[in-house]
Amino acid sequence: MNKIRVGQGFDVHQLEEGRDFWLGGVKLPATKGAVGHSDADVLIHAICDALLGAANLRDIGFHFSNKDDRWKGKDSKYFLKEVTKMLHDKGWTVGNVDCTVVLEAPKVNPHIDAMKKALAPLMNITEEDISIKATTNETMGYVGREEGVNASAVALIFRKD
Ligand SMILES: [Zn+2]
């Protein structure tokens, strides 16, 4: 088996007025928030899928079904912690993650340091090992109309044996 593997993840959520907007483990000041079964943290979900993909452990919906009441309104930080545990159980350690959030508003950049701080301990890595980039969709499509947000991530994992 390879000692280094890479995985990618992608997720989309609708945005709705009056909802809390959780992104990267941080609650953003916003009038709209993401809609979902859990807290709908699109960035954490993309990272979970990148890590699970790297370890070939299916995807977040397989482990934390949106039909399961246990995960209703759940803090997605729990999912990332559990995914990291699943990887550790298989002998994998997280190397680094690199992510992109596509969102029209609010601005993500002022919150990136807080997101890195929230996410690093969940994966047992340092803030230096997490890159979060943000862009808009140039007012086009569902992101441009502020109907939704998407995030993608790549993750590298490694093992020593
Ligand atoms: Zn999601």
Side-chain angles (χ1 to χ4, degrees), residues 11-13 38 40-42 45-46 60:
D11 195 28
V12 184
H13 281 267
S38 64
D41 191 320
V42 70
H45 296 177
I60 188 170

